[in-house]
Amino acid sequence: WSRIFPDGLGTEINEQGVAFYNSLIDFMIEKGIQPYATLYHWDLPHNLQKTMGGWLSDKIVEYFALYAEACFANFGDRVKHWITINEPIQTCINAYGVGIFAPGLCKGVAAEPFLAGHHQILAHAAAVDVYRRKFKAKQGGQVGFVIDCEWAEPKSDKMEDQAAAARRMDFQLGWFLDPIYFGDYPESMRQRVGEYLPKFSEKERELMRNKIDFIGLNHYTSRIIGNQLNPQPQEIHFYQVQQIERTDKWSSGEAIGERAASEWLLIVPWGIRKTINYIVKKYENPIIYVTENGMDDEDDPSAPVDQFLNDTKRVNFFKGYVGAVAQAIKDGADVRGYFAWSFVDNFEWAMGFTKRFGIVYVDYKNG
């Protein structure tokens, strides 16, 4: 976004930016790679944050639609699969709630993450609306929305733990998909978030209605979820109102899965099958792409390259997860594709070069 429209306003398109992406797309196609383009992976033009508060302003919906239209117009003759927004929950919670992602705002204002989410949903819908009105007939592409979601496995058969796990899924997936499919946020969110959760006007409901061609699922791990009567005071409002206990160990003390390098990433292949089947049941068997799935190694500059290349843990990870996706397809899910995160080791969003997610090793030391 910031490369195509540096000011964010769409007053002037950056021709060098357009040329860069044209070159990239043409190169991919020449090599037999089908491009799936993500319009927004958290790179908000700074001017939009500075002048109007970024995702906290309703004006951003219009500016996102202008940007999307420019991309459809310039690249849609070759790009047939578009993703509007990647992992909106991360923008909402980590950017406007916890403050660890850009723009790094953590004012303790409970309403801000929900407002940012509200505008991302409407921006997605506005972009799909533009595509269907102006480009779909000629270009014949599809536009989806990518949601990240851990599987929430109930801690026990007790009704309160089952309900807590259901709430957890509502606050991850339902937050962004229920408005598009059902016209409003999940009831559990309405009850618990109250006045901090924005309301949709009838015009907005009409704009959102079924504005999605596929669901992109970014899935890495699963957690055991139990009911929690007394929320932790150090947690932000978003987590407190869910009233859940989120753990990686069963009551026996056994871990839910082997840990990868990142503290949060436990290897639980059956969790992706359950997540996909949950989406199938709740949203009437939509087209699904697994848009991210992978695990990381800890970078160790002193370790020999051979140690990294003997990559049995990652091989087993992908065998397990791809196998679980195949099982979900046998269960009846309409999964059309799977993307590993990632092709090569890369600069990870908050962790730089310290974590290696690539299926291809990159030697940073020797060029």
Side-chain angles (χ1 to χ4, degrees):
W1 193 352
S2 42
R3 180 173 262 162
I4 300 292
F5 287 150
D7 66 356
L9 303 173
T11 49
E12 195 175 332
I13 196 162
N14 175 15
E15 295 298 344
Q16 283 181 298
V18 172
F20 170 85
Y21 287 114
N22 273 325
S23 171
L24 176 63
I25 292 163
D26 288 346
F27 179 80
M28 289 173 72
I29 290 169
E30 182 191 322
K31 297 296 179 187
I33 299 169
Q34 190 177 350
Y36 282 61
T38 301
L39 292 170
Y40 181 72
H41 193 137
W42 316 338
D43 52 334
L44 184 75
H46 180 56
N47 184 51
L48 294 183
Q49 183 61 38
K50 190 172 67 177
T51 59
M52 63 183 70
W55 288 108
L56 301 180
S57 168
D58 60 357
K59 291 180 187 166
I60 200 165
V61 174
E62 171 191 340
Y63 290 120
F64 184 77
L66 281 172
Y67 156 60
E69 183 169 354
C71 291
F72 300 148
N74 282 283
F75 315 123
D77 57 329
R78 287 150 295 155
V79 176
K80 302 303 175 186
H81 294 84
W82 294 95
I83 290 152
T84 52
I85 292 171
N86 175 78
E87 298 187 351
I89 198 171
Q90 300 299 330
T91 310
C92 298
I93 302 308
N94 284 328
Y96 293 95
V98 182
I100 56 172
F101 285 2
L105 297 179
C106 185
K107 300 175 187 169
V109 180
E112 287 194 351
F114 301 108
L115 195 58
H118 195 72
H119 295 144
Q120 285 183 92
I121 294 163
L122 293 172
H124 159 81
V128 177
D129 184 61
V130 166
Y131 190 80
R132 288 183 181 174
R133 283 189 293 107
K134 297 188 176 183
F135 300 96
K136 176 95 175 171
K138 188 173 180 184
Q139 295 180 357
Q142 295 186 320
V143 189
F145 199 2
V146 165
I147 313 298
D148 62 305
C149 182
E150 296 179 348
W151 173 247
E153 183 68 13
K155 183 180 175 181
S156 75
D157 291 335
K158 290 179 184 172
M159 196 182 295
E160 57 265 34
D161 290 336
Q162 300 280 331
R167 280 199 302 279
R168 173 71 176 150
M169 296 302 285
D170 280 347
F171 273 77
Q172 290 181 99
L173 274 179
W175 182 3
F176 300 101
L177 295 179
D178 276 26
I180 296 167
Y181 282 95
F182 311 129
D184 201 4
Y185 295 113
E187 185 55 33
S188 66
M189 291 189 76
R190 282 266 171 239
Q191 287 173 358
R192 289 165 179 276
V193 179
E195 63 183 359
Y196 297 133
L197 199 58
K199 290 184 169 60
F200 293 107
S201 68
E202 277 309 312
K203 187 178 177 184
E204 288 169 341
R205 285 180 206 274
E206 195 51 46
L207 173 69
M208 291 186 305
R209 194 188 310 275
N210 297 320
K211 290 297 196 308
I212 194 164
D213 294 321
F214 63 86
I215 294 171
L217 172 66
N218 289 1
H219 175 92
Y220 290 88
T221 193
S222 299
R223 283 294 185 280
I224 298 157
I225 303 296
N227 189 48
Q228 187 178 59
L229 294 174
N230 301 306
Q232 301 301 311
Q234 73 272 20
E235 289 186 329
I236 66 166
H237 172 266
F238 172 77
Y239 293 112
Q240 286 190 4
V241 294
Q242 292 182 55
Q243 287 188 288
I244 60 164
E245 174 197 13
R246 179 174 167 269
T247 179
D248 55 20
K249 288 187 175 64
W250 301 104
S251 52
S252 64
E254 185 185 353
I256 192 172
E258 185 184 3
R259 194 178 297 281
S262 286
E263 176 275 328
W264 56 269
L265 208 169
L266 293 110
I267 300 170
V268 190
W270 51 263
I272 196 168
R273 181 183 181 184
K274 288 195 172 189
T275 306
I276 291 169
N277 284 339
Y278 175 93
I279 292 170
V280 168
K281 187 176 177 184
K282 185 168 184 187
Y283 302 110
E284 297 180 353
N285 204 7
I287 294 169
I288 298 170
Y289 290 88
V290 176
T291 35
E292 284 184 27
N293 177 235
M295 61 151 281
D296 58 342
D297 296 312
E298 195 74 53
D299 184 42
D300 179 0
S302 65
V305 172
D306 287 353
Q307 181 180 314
F308 284 103
L309 298 188
N310 184 26
D311 211 0
T312 53
K313 193 171 181 179
R314 183 174 277 108
V315 169
N316 289 331
F317 175 96
F318 283 118
K319 274 184 181 175
Y321 275 85
V322 173
V325 174
Q327 287 292 335
I329 293 169
K330 286 177 185 170
D331 297 335
D334 189 2
V335 180
R336 303 280 179 98
Y338 170 97
F339 293 81
W341 186 274
S342 55
F343 171 45
V344 293
D345 294 327
N346 66 91
F347 189 89
E348 287 295 328
W349 180 254
M351 299 174 292
F353 295 117
T354 65
K355 300 286 189 286
R356 292 179 176 271
F357 274 91
I359 55 173
V360 176
Y361 176 89
V362 175
D363 186 340
Y364 297 124
K365 283 189 298 184
N366 302 305

Short mmCIF file of all heavy atoms in Angstrom, two decimals, residues 273-308:
data_model
loop_
_atom_site.label_atom_id
_atom_site.label_comp_id
_atom_site.label_asym_id
_atom_site.label_seq_id
_atom_site.Cartn_x
_atom_site.Cartn_y
_atom_site.Cartn_z
N ARG A 273 -6.91 -29.90 11.35
CA ARG A 273 -8.08 -30.63 10.84
C ARG A 273 -9.35 -30.16 11.56
O ARG A 273 -10.38 -29.89 10.93
CB ARG A 273 -7.88 -32.13 11.04
CG ARG A 273 -9.04 -32.98 10.54
CD ARG A 273 -8.78 -34.45 10.85
NE ARG A 273 -9.86 -35.31 10.36
CZ ARG A 273 -9.90 -36.63 10.57
NH1 ARG A 273 -8.92 -37.23 11.24
NH2 ARG A 273 -10.91 -37.34 10.10
N LYS A 274 -9.25 -30.01 12.89
CA LYS A 274 -10.41 -29.56 13.66
C LYS A 274 -10.80 -28.13 13.29
O LYS A 274 -11.99 -27.81 13.22
CB LYS A 274 -10.12 -29.68 15.15
CG LYS A 274 -10.08 -31.11 15.66
CD LYS A 274 -10.15 -31.18 17.19
CE LYS A 274 -10.32 -32.62 17.65
NZ LYS A 274 -10.60 -32.69 19.11
N THR A 275 -9.81 -27.28 13.06
CA THR A 275 -10.10 -25.88 12.70
C THR A 275 -10.82 -25.82 11.35
O THR A 275 -11.82 -25.10 11.20
CB THR A 275 -8.81 -25.05 12.65
OG1 THR A 275 -8.11 -25.19 13.89
CG2 THR A 275 -9.11 -23.57 12.42
N ILE A 276 -10.31 -26.56 10.38
CA ILE A 276 -10.94 -26.57 9.04
C ILE A 276 -12.37 -27.12 9.14
O ILE A 276 -13.31 -26.55 8.56
CB ILE A 276 -10.09 -27.40 8.05
CG1 ILE A 276 -8.78 -26.66 7.74
CG2 ILE A 276 -10.87 -27.66 6.75
CD1 ILE A 276 -7.75 -27.48 7.00
N ASN A 277 -12.56 -28.19 9.88
CA ASN A 277 -13.90 -28.77 10.01
C ASN A 277 -14.86 -27.83 10.74
O ASN A 277 -16.07 -27.80 10.43
CB ASN A 277 -13.83 -30.12 10.72
CG ASN A 277 -13.30 -31.22 9.81
OD1 ASN A 277 -13.35 -31.10 8.59
ND2 ASN A 277 -12.79 -32.29 10.39
N TYR A 278 -14.34 -27.06 11.67
CA TYR A 278 -15.15 -26.03 12.35
C TYR A 278 -15.64 -24.99 11.34
O TYR A 278 -16.82 -24.61 11.33
CB TYR A 278 -14.30 -25.37 13.44
CG TYR A 278 -14.96 -24.22 14.16
CD1 TYR A 278 -15.67 -24.42 15.34
CD2 TYR A 278 -14.85 -22.92 13.67
CE1 TYR A 278 -16.26 -23.36 16.01
CE2 TYR A 278 -15.44 -21.85 14.33
CZ TYR A 278 -16.15 -22.08 15.50
OH TYR A 278 -16.74 -21.01 16.15
N ILE A 279 -14.73 -24.53 10.47
CA ILE A 279 -15.09 -23.53 9.44
C ILE A 279 -16.13 -24.11 8.49
O ILE A 279 -17.11 -23.44 8.13
CB ILE A 279 -13.83 -23.07 8.67
CG1 ILE A 279 -12.90 -22.26 9.59
CG2 ILE A 279 -14.20 -22.25 7.44
CD1 ILE A 279 -11.53 -21.98 9.00
N VAL A 280 -15.93 -25.36 8.08
CA VAL A 280 -16.87 -26.04 7.17
C VAL A 280 -18.28 -26.04 7.75
O VAL A 280 -19.25 -25.70 7.08
CB VAL A 280 -16.41 -27.49 6.90
CG1 VAL A 280 -17.50 -28.30 6.21
CG2 VAL A 280 -15.14 -27.48 6.04
N LYS A 281 -18.38 -26.41 9.02
CA LYS A 281 -19.68 -26.54 9.67
C LYS A 281 -20.34 -25.18 9.90
O LYS A 281 -21.52 -25.00 9.63
CB LYS A 281 -19.51 -27.28 11.00
CG LYS A 281 -20.82 -27.62 11.69
CD LYS A 281 -20.59 -28.43 12.96
CE LYS A 281 -21.91 -28.70 13.67
NZ LYS A 281 -21.71 -29.39 14.95
N LYS A 282 -19.55 -24.22 10.37
CA LYS A 282 -20.14 -22.94 10.75
C LYS A 282 -20.49 -22.07 9.54
O LYS A 282 -21.50 -21.36 9.54
CB LYS A 282 -19.20 -22.18 11.68
CG LYS A 282 -19.82 -20.88 12.19
CD LYS A 282 -19.05 -20.25 13.32
CE LYS A 282 -19.80 -19.03 13.82
NZ LYS A 282 -19.02 -18.27 14.83
N TYR A 283 -19.65 -22.11 8.51
CA TYR A 283 -19.84 -21.20 7.36
C TYR A 283 -20.26 -21.94 6.09
O TYR A 283 -20.01 -21.47 4.98
CB TYR A 283 -18.57 -20.38 7.15
CG TYR A 283 -18.20 -19.58 8.39
CD1 TYR A 283 -17.09 -19.91 9.16
CD2 TYR A 283 -19.00 -18.53 8.84
CE1 TYR A 283 -16.77 -19.20 10.31
CE2 TYR A 283 -18.69 -17.81 9.99
CZ TYR A 283 -17.58 -18.16 10.72
OH TYR A 283 -17.27 -17.46 11.87
N GLU A 284 -20.90 -23.07 6.26
CA GLU A 284 -21.53 -23.81 5.16
C GLU A 284 -20.56 -24.17 4.03
O GLU A 284 -20.79 -23.86 2.87
CB GLU A 284 -22.75 -23.03 4.63
CG GLU A 284 -23.83 -22.88 5.71
CD GLU A 284 -25.05 -22.11 5.22
OE1 GLU A 284 -25.01 -21.58 4.09
OE2 GLU A 284 -26.02 -22.04 6.00
N ASN A 285 -19.49 -24.80 4.44
CA ASN A 285 -18.50 -25.37 3.51
C ASN A 285 -17.99 -24.39 2.45
O ASN A 285 -18.14 -24.61 1.25
CB ASN A 285 -19.06 -26.62 2.83
CG ASN A 285 -17.93 -27.53 2.36
OD1 ASN A 285 -16.76 -27.29 2.64
ND2 ASN A 285 -18.28 -28.57 1.64
N PRO A 286 -17.33 -23.31 2.89
CA PRO A 286 -16.78 -22.36 1.92
C PRO A 286 -15.51 -22.91 1.27
O PRO A 286 -14.94 -23.90 1.75
CB PRO A 286 -16.44 -21.15 2.80
CG PRO A 286 -16.06 -21.78 4.12
CD PRO A 286 -16.98 -22.96 4.28
N ILE A 287 -15.07 -22.25 0.22
CA ILE A 287 -13.74 -22.55 -0.34
C ILE A 287 -12.71 -22.08 0.67
O ILE A 287 -12.78 -20.96 1.19
CB ILE A 287 -13.54 -21.83 -1.69
CG1 ILE A 287 -14.52 -22.39 -2.73
CG2 ILE A 287 -12.11 -21.96 -2.17
CD1 ILE A 287 -14.58 -21.57 -4.01
N ILE A 288 -11.74 -22.94 0.97
CA ILE A 288 -10.69 -22.63 1.96
C ILE A 288 -9.32 -22.80 1.32
O ILE A 288 -9.09 -23.75 0.57
CB ILE A 288 -10.79 -23.57 3.18
CG1 ILE A 288 -12.13 -23.40 3.90
CG2 ILE A 288 -9.64 -23.32 4.17
CD1 ILE A 288 -12.40 -24.46 4.97
N TYR A 289 -8.43 -21.87 1.61
CA TYR A 289 -7.01 -22.04 1.34
C TYR A 289 -6.28 -21.97 2.67
O TYR A 289 -6.54 -21.06 3.46
CB TYR A 289 -6.47 -20.93 0.42
CG TYR A 289 -6.96 -21.01 -1.00
CD1 TYR A 289 -8.15 -20.40 -1.39
CD2 TYR A 289 -6.23 -21.70 -1.97
CE1 TYR A 289 -8.62 -20.49 -2.69
CE2 TYR A 289 -6.68 -21.79 -3.28
CZ TYR A 289 -7.88 -21.18 -3.63
OH TYR A 289 -8.32 -21.27 -4.92
N VAL A 290 -5.39 -22.92 2.92
CA VAL A 290 -4.49 -22.77 4.06
C VAL A 290 -3.39 -21.83 3.57
O VAL A 290 -2.55 -22.21 2.75
CB VAL A 290 -3.91 -24.13 4.52
CG1 VAL A 290 -2.90 -23.92 5.66
CG2 VAL A 290 -5.04 -25.06 4.96
N THR A 291 -3.42 -20.60 4.05
CA THR A 291 -2.55 -19.56 3.49
C THR A 291 -1.22 -19.42 4.24
O THR A 291 -0.28 -18.82 3.73
CB THR A 291 -3.28 -18.22 3.43
OG1 THR A 291 -4.17 -18.10 4.55
CG2 THR A 291 -4.12 -18.11 2.16
N GLU A 292 -1.15 -19.94 5.46
CA GLU A 292 0.14 -20.03 6.17
C GLU A 292 0.10 -21.23 7.10
O GLU A 292 -0.88 -21.44 7.82
CB GLU A 292 0.43 -18.79 7.04
CG GLU A 292 0.86 -17.55 6.28
CD GLU A 292 1.23 -16.41 7.23
OE1 GLU A 292 1.64 -16.68 8.40
OE2 GLU A 292 1.10 -15.25 6.83
N ASN A 293 1.20 -21.99 7.10
CA ASN A 293 1.38 -23.07 8.06
C ASN A 293 2.85 -23.44 8.05
O ASN A 293 3.43 -23.66 7.00
CB ASN A 293 0.51 -24.28 7.68
CG ASN A 293 0.70 -25.47 8.60
OD1 ASN A 293 1.01 -26.56 8.15
ND2 ASN A 293 0.52 -25.27 9.89
N GLY A 294 3.47 -23.48 9.22
CA GLY A 294 4.89 -23.82 9.27
C GLY A 294 5.42 -23.79 10.68
O GLY A 294 4.69 -23.55 11.64
N MET A 295 6.73 -24.03 10.81
CA MET A 295 7.38 -24.00 12.12
C MET A 295 8.77 -23.39 11.97
O MET A 295 9.32 -23.29 10.88
CB MET A 295 7.49 -25.40 12.72
CG MET A 295 8.29 -26.37 11.88
SD MET A 295 9.13 -27.67 12.85
CE MET A 295 10.56 -26.77 13.48
N ASP A 296 9.34 -22.99 13.10
CA ASP A 296 10.62 -22.30 13.06
C ASP A 296 11.71 -23.04 13.83
O ASP A 296 11.45 -23.77 14.78
CB ASP A 296 10.49 -20.86 13.58
CG ASP A 296 9.95 -20.77 15.01
OD1 ASP A 296 9.37 -21.77 15.49
OD2 ASP A 296 10.10 -19.71 15.62
N ASP A 297 12.96 -22.80 13.37
CA ASP A 297 14.17 -23.17 14.12
C ASP A 297 14.73 -21.90 14.73
O ASP A 297 14.57 -20.81 14.18
CB ASP A 297 15.26 -23.72 13.18
CG ASP A 297 14.84 -24.99 12.49
OD1 ASP A 297 14.35 -25.89 13.18
OD2 ASP A 297 15.03 -25.08 11.26
N GLU A 298 15.43 -22.06 15.84
CA GLU A 298 16.17 -20.93 16.43
C GLU A 298 17.45 -20.74 15.64
O GLU A 298 18.19 -21.71 15.40
CB GLU A 298 16.51 -21.25 17.89
CG GLU A 298 16.95 -20.06 18.70
CD GLU A 298 15.79 -19.14 19.05
OE1 GLU A 298 14.78 -19.61 19.59
OE2 GLU A 298 15.92 -17.93 18.75
N ASP A 299 17.73 -19.51 15.21
CA ASP A 299 18.99 -19.28 14.52
C ASP A 299 20.15 -19.44 15.52
O ASP A 299 20.06 -18.98 16.65
CB ASP A 299 19.03 -17.88 13.91
CG ASP A 299 20.30 -17.66 13.11
OD1 ASP A 299 20.69 -18.59 12.37
OD2 ASP A 299 20.92 -16.58 13.23
N ASP A 300 21.19 -20.09 15.08
CA ASP A 300 22.38 -20.27 15.91
C ASP A 300 23.60 -20.06 15.02
O ASP A 300 23.99 -20.97 14.28
CB ASP A 300 22.38 -21.68 16.53
CG ASP A 300 23.61 -21.92 17.39
OD1 ASP A 300 24.45 -21.01 17.51
OD2 ASP A 300 23.73 -23.04 17.94
N PRO A 301 24.19 -18.84 15.06
CA PRO A 301 25.31 -18.54 14.16
C PRO A 301 26.49 -19.49 14.32
O PRO A 301 27.29 -19.65 13.40
CB PRO A 301 25.70 -17.11 14.55
CG PRO A 301 24.48 -16.54 15.22
CD PRO A 301 23.83 -17.69 15.91
N SER A 302 26.60 -20.13 15.49
CA SER A 302 27.75 -21.01 15.71
C SER A 302 27.50 -22.44 15.21
O SER A 302 28.42 -23.25 15.13
CB SER A 302 28.10 -21.06 17.20
OG SER A 302 27.04 -21.66 17.93
N ALA A 303 26.25 -22.76 14.90
CA ALA A 303 25.91 -24.13 14.50
C ALA A 303 26.32 -24.38 13.05
O ALA A 303 26.18 -23.49 12.20
CB ALA A 303 24.41 -24.36 14.67
N PRO A 304 26.80 -25.58 12.74
CA PRO A 304 27.14 -25.89 11.34
C PRO A 304 25.88 -25.96 10.48
O PRO A 304 24.81 -26.35 10.96
CB PRO A 304 27.82 -27.26 11.43
CG PRO A 304 27.37 -27.84 12.73
CD PRO A 304 27.08 -26.70 13.65
N VAL A 305 26.02 -25.60 9.22
CA VAL A 305 24.89 -25.60 8.29
C VAL A 305 24.25 -26.99 8.20
O VAL A 305 23.04 -27.13 8.13
CB VAL A 305 25.32 -25.11 6.89
CG1 VAL A 305 24.20 -25.29 5.88
CG2 VAL A 305 25.73 -23.64 6.94
N ASP A 306 25.09 -28.02 8.25
CA ASP A 306 24.57 -29.40 8.16
C ASP A 306 23.53 -29.69 9.24
O ASP A 306 22.60 -30.46 9.02
CB ASP A 306 25.72 -30.41 8.27
CG ASP A 306 26.56 -30.45 7.00
OD1 ASP A 306 26.15 -29.79 6.03
OD2 ASP A 306 27.60 -31.12 6.99
N GLN A 307 23.70 -29.06 10.38
CA GLN A 307 22.75 -29.29 11.48
C GLN A 307 21.36 -28.77 11.09
O GLN A 307 20.35 -29.41 11.38
CB GLN A 307 23.25 -28.56 12.73
CG GLN A 307 22.35 -28.75 13.95
CD GLN A 307 22.91 -27.99 15.17
OE1 GLN A 307 24.10 -28.06 15.46
NE2 GLN A 307 22.04 -27.27 15.85
N PHE A 308 21.33 -27.63 10.42
CA PHE A 308 20.04 -27.07 9.97
C PHE A 308 19.47 -27.88 8.81
O PHE A 308 18.26 -28.04 8.69
CB PHE A 308 20.22 -25.61 9.55
CG PHE A 308 20.35 -24.66 10.70
CD1 PHE A 308 21.58 -24.15 11.07
CD2 PHE A 308 19.23 -24.26 11.43
CE1 PHE A 308 21.70 -23.28 12.14
CE2 PHE A 308 19.34 -23.40 12.50
CZ PHE A 308 20.59 -22.90 12.86
#
